[in-house]
Amino acid sequence: MPDMAGARRDLLTIFQAALTRVEGRACVRESLRGDQGTVSLIALGKAAQSMTQGALDVLGDRVLDGLVISKAGHMDESLLRARGLGCLEGGHPVPDERSLRAGRELVEFIRTRPKDSRLLFLISGGTSGLVELLRDGIDLASLQRVNQWLLGSGLSIDAMNRVRKSLSRIKGGGLIPLLQGRPAQVLLISDVPGDEPGVIGSGLLVADEHPACGLDDLALPDWLRALVPPVPPPVPTKADNIRVSIVASLADAREAAADKARELGYAVTLSRAHLGGMSMWSADGWRTNCGMPGRDFMSGVVNRPSTCRSIPDRAGVINTWRWWWPAR
């Protein structure tokens, strides 16, 4: 019989190694090491606080001011406010009134920075729901209905964000004109396949390559398609004053997991293909193969369903590896 307690301990150790590799504070701290000058900081997403702490570790008082927007329970507001940073919560995974307020406050914060300010954006997963500013004619109820449908649609995150961009004034590069030429550095933690900057957080500072008219290839219900503007708005163009970097990704987590598995004595075969599917299918496959002596099995991290549905929510396997039970 395999040592199930030992195997569980190893799995948790491997998983923690993956998380440590992409921890926001460490990744931002390393990326900003040697950075000079002052910044106004804007941190968005579920990792907003940890990324902000990484920036503060390096820049200290050179962070002149800032705005941190995250999910409820993901911020220590007293810690952040003590450093002179504003804090707001948004709705996630479905946007709510807090998300709309956060969108208004974000736009106002950018607009009111001095013309010679340098802006530092720290963006992580969850930003699409946490911050929003809607196009004319779209209300909160419609936005929530769209996002509820998207979460159970089975569409890829790229396709989902294309729909979100079509209803938004700030997604798909909508923040670019607000900078008015101010230099901006954008550090991203990628939680999407392919690490496309325009997909992460719906590309607030990345010119959209898929305007609203590019939704014809998606199978959308009539009520949703009726919300899409018949004439797409002007698409912001790429700006030379914006530098975008990915400081952590799913691939980094996967490689760290494989490294730790090898360190623990497992023979690892790494699959670099993104795997996805229904949660129930993924769970069944894992349960069937996991832990059987003499057989290889696949492990990963699967998104839990956000709501109870008759059709299981889309699941994303963020990193995968195969190994044999070690002879020990």
Side-chain angles (χ1 to χ4, degrees), residues 2 11 18 60 77 101 129 142 151 158 207 213 255 263 271 292 325:
L11 282 171
E77 293 194 20
R101 179 195 172 197
S142 296
L151 289 170
D158 176 38
C213 60
E255 299 294 332
E263 180 183 316
S271 171
M292 299 301 292
W325 287 104

Side-chain angles (χ1 to χ4, degrees), residues 173 175-177 179-184 186 205-207 236-244:
L175 293 185
I176 295 175
L179 298 181
Q180 295 185 325
R182 298 180 185 90
V186 184
L205 291 142
V206 180
T237 57
K238 184 177 180 180
D240 294 335
N241 57 306
I242 301 174
R243 292 189 296 118
V244 179

Side-chain angles (χ1 to χ4, degrees), residues 26-96:
C27 292
V28 169
R29 184 170 57 226
E30 181 62 28
S31 180
L32 290 177
R33 198 172 301 281
D35 189 277
Q36 302 295 322
T38 59
V39 299
S40 290
L41 180 149
I42 298 170
L44 311 170
K46 290 181 285 184
Q49 172 162 318
S50 62
M51 296 181 79
T52 296
Q53 289 177 294
L56 291 171
D57 289 344
V58 176
L59 302 177
D61 293 339
R62 285 181 287 144
V63 177
L64 301 180
D65 51 18
L67 179 63
V68 182
I69 301 174
S70 193
K71 184 177 179 179
H74 285 55
M75 286 188 297
D76 182 342
E77 293 194 20
S78 60
L79 183 152
L80 295 171
R81 292 188 189 281
R83 302 299 296 267
L85 305 177
C87 302
L88 290 172
E89 293 179 351
H92 181 275
V94 177
D96 58 22

